[in-house]
Amino acid sequence: MLTATRLFDLAYLQQETAPGFPMFSYKKGTNWVAVSNTEFIEQVNQVSKGLIALGVQAGENVALISENRIEWNILDFAIQQIGAVVVAIYPNISESDYRYIFNHAEIKTCIVSSRKLYTKITSIKDSCPLLEHIFTLDKEADLPDWQLFVAAGASITDEQVQGLRNAVNTDSLASIIYTSGTTGNPKGVMLAHRNLLADTMSSEYSFPVERGDRALSFLPVCHAYERVFQYVYMYKGLTIFFAQSMDTIGEDFKSVRPHIFSAVPRVLEKVYEKIKAKGDQLTGLKRNIFFWSLRIGEQYTLENRSWWYDIRLSIARKLVFSKWREALGGDIKGIASGSAALQERLIRLYMAAGIPIYEGYGLTEAGPCIAVNCFKRGMKIGTVGLPLINIEIRLADDGEILTKGENNMIGYYKNEEATAEVLKDGWLYTGDIGQWVDGKFLKIIDRKKEMFKTSGGKYIVPQQLESKIAESSFIEQVMVIGESQKFPAALIVPSYVNLLEWGKQTVPALTELSKIEFLNSPEVKRQIESELDRINQNFGSWEQIKKFAIIPNEMTIETGELTPTLKMKRKVILQKYAKEVETIYNT
């Protein structure tokens, strides 16, 4: 039986164990189109031939910029199996980042999904002297699409592809993923086939699914998190369904009825917000039952539940929470949450609804997953679970999380200095601060570089504060500030929708104001202040938020405040809102 030692072996392994099984499915018009493992491999080999005909060499870096679609996966394996390297790039980064990555990685060939991306990359071509070819996946009459080089591959033999495939070994470089970072230029994480496969094998043990199940994919597959999950789905024999877009995700849930999907906290927050918004529209007994069920859900624990609580929970599940499961298709076995911390309150609510949330932790440099709440080995709400099998984790004296395993990256591309800072004696220094709970469950405290001291010498851990503050239904986003200042404060993006609903019930005249006037009204500020007063009770006096400034517009990737993985670019935000910060500390 075939053993997977290179990533593209996963497709051949699935073909050997379940020939003709639908490996992928995508929406075309109103129908789902299945692609079997045999059809997928045929297309991969055709594209490999096209890349050879184009002149792509073993060891050459090829840029791939696209949203989730089957063509991404075809190109991923087609590039790898001729010994070239997939440079997986987000489709929503800035032109300056594209320019830096293309020059740093010496990109000659780039494949993009759409006209929009073709136009963006074409606009920087003059400042990327090595860039020769730009192809689109979408077929447009006036643009060079990828079928041009695929067609040219007709002259390449199967033996030529096989020869290049045989030359690729488990230690060959498979991919470079440029981490966006919150400061400075992106760093290219080099991941060998061994690294990504090791993480795939370590992760699959924790997945609550089996051969023949359905996975829905909507996170960017260029991110190591979703990418490894897709490799796990292939290895375990699931069919991967590609969501059409984030706008159609609700429809896709109902149509696909997935058993599993991966998500970032913001997605799960938005699902909850939509459900709660429907609850807000209810009246009378139905409204009372809905919010009673939420209160029951917020008290959910995995252990030591009383019989009286379980009776009430079963009622809440039957009357309210069953509809949550149906909104996600009704067959869900588990949701993997990662990339950032998910509010404990939401985890309890989802779990109470019979929707298991498996929160985990990792970073691109670790291939990426290193810990997860595991349905087989144990879970602890409020932690990121247990170290994955075959991966070691220990905490340094200052609490920094160190990890060791074959999943760890080779290093940063063309950056030996940065590599030496994080890879020491086989251990990867993550830059995150953690602690053990019950001696075995890992809890993330904060980014080492994001902790700060006030002028009084007290340490502040922003993530802990931000996670708790964001539990308020009136606060959409928050960034805690106060390095070298007298006290911590916060920049707050209010939840305009929820506050507007609150305004209708309390001060109807407020709803006649413009958004800016409404958010800056004394009444809204007092409501936010009362929320902070309530939340502050969870923290020591030195940690409590003393003042805040309202930021009217959501912080986004497009406006430059968030990385593609939705982490806050703190320095950028501080610069952008320097006046607000100055007002906080100088009045």
Side-chain angles (χ1 to χ4, degrees):
M1 182 175 172
L2 176 68
T3 302
T5 59
R6 301 150 314 172
L7 289 164
F8 50 79
D9 289 333
L10 294 170
Y12 295 93
L13 178 63
Q14 193 190 100
Q15 185 189 38
E16 181 180 289
T17 55
F21 180 79
M23 198 170 183
F24 299 97
S25 189
Y26 63 93
K27 200 76 174 280
K28 187 174 183 180
T30 58
N31 299 315
W32 287 97
V33 179
V35 178
S36 72
N37 44 40
T38 302
E39 293 168 327
F40 177 73
I41 289 170
E42 288 173 357
Q43 292 178 57
V44 167
N45 286 327
Q46 286 177 4
V47 175
S48 287
K49 290 177 180 180
L51 291 165
I52 295 168
L54 187 64
V56 175
Q57 301 292 309
E60 183 177 323
N61 297 331
V62 179
L64 181 51
I65 314 172
S66 170
E67 305 78 7
N68 282 18
R69 52 197 289 175
I70 190 169
E71 293 91 341
W72 198 103
N73 298 76
I74 292 168
L75 281 157
D76 182 33
F77 282 4
I79 293 166
Q80 290 176 26
Q81 72 171 6
I82 64 169
V85 180
V86 179
V87 181
I89 309 177
Y90 284 94
N92 55 357
I93 60 176
S94 66
E95 287 187 10
S96 61
D97 278 345
Y98 280 127
R99 189 179 296 110
Y100 174 81
I101 292 170
F102 273 60
N103 286 320
H104 189 257
E106 301 175 350
I107 299 295
K108 296 179 183 177
T109 300
C110 173
I111 300 146
V112 302
S113 60
S114 62
R115 178 182 292 277
K116 180 181 178 182
L117 282 167
Y118 181 86
T119 302
K120 183 176 274 192
I121 301 304
T122 302
S123 71
I124 64 167
K125 196 171 187 297
D126 289 344
S127 54
C128 301
L130 295 177
L131 183 57
E132 296 176 16
H133 306 291
I134 309 171
F135 297 98
T136 63
L137 296 176
D138 291 344
K139 191 170 182 61
E140 305 261 3
D142 57 334
L143 297 180
D145 71 80
W146 67 320
Q147 292 304 319
L148 290 174
F149 69 80
V150 173
S155 61
I156 305 299
T157 66
D158 291 341
E159 289 72 24
Q160 286 173 278
V161 175
Q162 186 64 50
L164 289 169
R165 188 188 299 129
N166 290 343
V168 179
N169 63 56
T170 195
D171 291 314
S172 298
L173 180 59
S175 189
I176 300 173
I177 302 175
Y178 279 83
T179 57
S180 48
T182 53
T183 58
N185 288 321
K187 294 194 288 286
V189 175
M190 295 188 291
L191 293 167
H193 290 268
R194 179 189 299 279
N195 305 140
L196 288 162
L197 274 174
D199 209 54
T200 297
M201 303 308 176
S202 292
S203 297
E204 71 92 13
Y205 181 83
S206 300
F207 275 55
V209 287
E210 57 192 356
R211 182 175 296 279
D213 281 352
R214 299 177 298 279
L216 185 65
S217 175
F218 51 83
L219 294 184
V221 73
C222 55
H223 189 295
Y225 171 43
E226 181 68 14
R227 189 173 179 182
V228 162
F229 273 40
Q230 289 202 12
Y231 293 151
V232 174
Y233 300 150
M234 293 178 200
Y235 184 62
K236 290 186 75 75
L238 277 69
T239 300
I240 301 169
F241 288 76
F242 294 107
Q244 300 168 80
S245 71
M246 290 307 295
D247 293 332
T248 64
I249 195 78
E251 174 191 328
D252 292 332
F253 279 133
K254 292 175 183 175
S255 176
V256 174
R257 298 182 68 87
H259 296 99
I260 192 170
F261 63 88
S262 55
V264 294
R266 192 69 196 108
V267 171
L268 298 176
E269 288 165 4
K270 287 193 173 183
V271 169
Y272 167 72
E273 285 165 6
K274 284 184 178 179
I275 291 169
K276 185 176 178 296
K278 289 182 179 179
D280 285 329
Q281 294 169 7
L282 298 173
T283 58
L285 182 60
K286 287 184 177 180
R287 180 183 175 88
N288 291 338
I289 290 172
F290 180 87
F291 284 99
W292 172 82
S293 297
L294 290 193
R295 290 193 294 274
I296 294 295
E298 288 170 350
Q299 300 166 34
Y300 181 86
T301 62
L302 289 165
E303 61 282 312
N304 301 322
R305 295 199 305 267
S306 70
W307 63 269
W308 175 235
Y309 176 83
D310 280 346
I311 288 172
R312 289 178 294 161
L313 177 62
S314 64
I315 295 169
R317 282 180 169 173
K318 185 172 184 178
L319 296 179
V320 174
F321 292 143
S322 58
K323 297 178 179 63
W324 290 32
R325 283 185 61 85
E326 282 305 313
L328 296 175
D331 291 338
I332 200 74
K333 292 182 178 180
I335 300 171
S337 177
S339 185
L342 179 61
Q343 299 170 23
E344 275 190 44
R345 174 171 162 270
L346 285 187
I347 295 175
R348 294 185 192 281
L349 281 166
Y350 274 101
M351 298 284 277
I355 302 168
I357 299 284
Y358 299 108
E359 187 171 24
Y361 161 71
L363 63 165
T364 307
E365 290 86 340
C369 307
I370 65 173
V372 72
N373 275 290
C374 176
F375 85 109
K376 287 182 179 177
R377 294 183 296 147
M379 300 179 64
K380 186 79 173 178
I381 294 173
T383 75
V384 292
L386 302 152
L388 293 173
I389 59 171
N390 303 322
I391 293 177
E392 293 180 65
I393 295 176
R394 68 180 175 88
L395 301 182
D397 292 340
D398 63 356
E400 183 173 2
I401 300 165
L402 315 182
T403 181
K404 180 187 281 188
E406 291 193 343
N407 53 299
N408 283 350
M409 68 172 180
I410 299 170
Y412 293 117
Y413 186 61
K414 296 196 296 192
N415 196 337
E416 292 182 5
E417 183 180 348
T419 300
E421 287 179 7
V422 299
L423 285 177
K424 303 171 187 177
D425 300 322
W427 291 92
L428 173 67
Y429 284 63
T430 67
D432 290 315
I433 301 296
Q435 66 183 37
W436 295 113
V437 177
D438 295 344
K440 61 180 180 178
F441 295 100
L442 182 65
K443 183 179 179 68
I444 309 302
I445 304 301
D446 208 348
R447 288 291 298 170
K448 187 175 179 178
K449 293 179 180 177
E450 289 173 1
M451 292 173 64
F452 62 79
K453 277 185 180 182
T454 61
S455 57
K458 295 288 189 180
Y459 271 110
I460 301 297
V461 181
Q463 185 175 309
Q464 281 186 320
L465 293 163
E466 289 161 357
S467 179
K468 198 69 182 173
I469 293 167
E471 289 184 6
S472 167
S473 60
F474 295 120
I475 296 174
E476 189 80 14
Q477 294 171 309
V478 57
M479 188 177 100
V480 172
I481 60 175
E483 184 169 9
S484 300
Q485 301 286 355
K486 290 178 290 186
F487 53 81
L491 300 176
I492 288 175
V493 178
S495 174
Y496 180 56
V497 173
N498 289 345
L499 280 166
L500 206 57
E501 187 63 32
W502 164 83
K504 288 177 185 175
Q505 306 294 327
T506 55
V507 192
L510 284 176
T511 60
E512 298 175 10
L513 301 174
S514 69
K515 180 181 177 181
I516 300 295
E517 290 172 330
F518 174 81
L519 293 177
N520 284 295
S521 67
E523 292 86 352
V524 166
K525 287 184 176 179
R526 279 197 295 271
Q527 181 62 22
I528 296 294
E529 188 171 13
S530 70
E531 289 291 292
L532 289 175
D533 288 344
R534 176 180 59 81
I535 293 163
N536 272 336
Q537 295 173 25
N538 295 284
F539 299 100
S541 58
W542 72 94
E543 299 172 292
Q544 294 178 2
I545 303 300
K546 303 297 191 294
K547 290 186 178 182
F548 66 93
I550 284 180
I551 309 301
N553 297 313
E554 187 176 353
M555 294 183 276
T556 67
I557 298 165
E558 290 71 25
T559 51
E561 295 107 336
L562 302 182
T563 71
T565 53
L566 305 181
K567 294 181 179 67
M568 286 185 288
K569 294 184 177 180
R570 294 182 184 267
K571 287 188 177 179
V572 171
I573 295 166
L574 283 172
Q575 289 170 358
K576 185 168 184 176
Y577 298 107
K579 287 183 180 178
E580 286 80 357
V581 174
E582 185 179 354
T583 300
I584 285 173
Y585 289 109
N586 292 328
T587 57

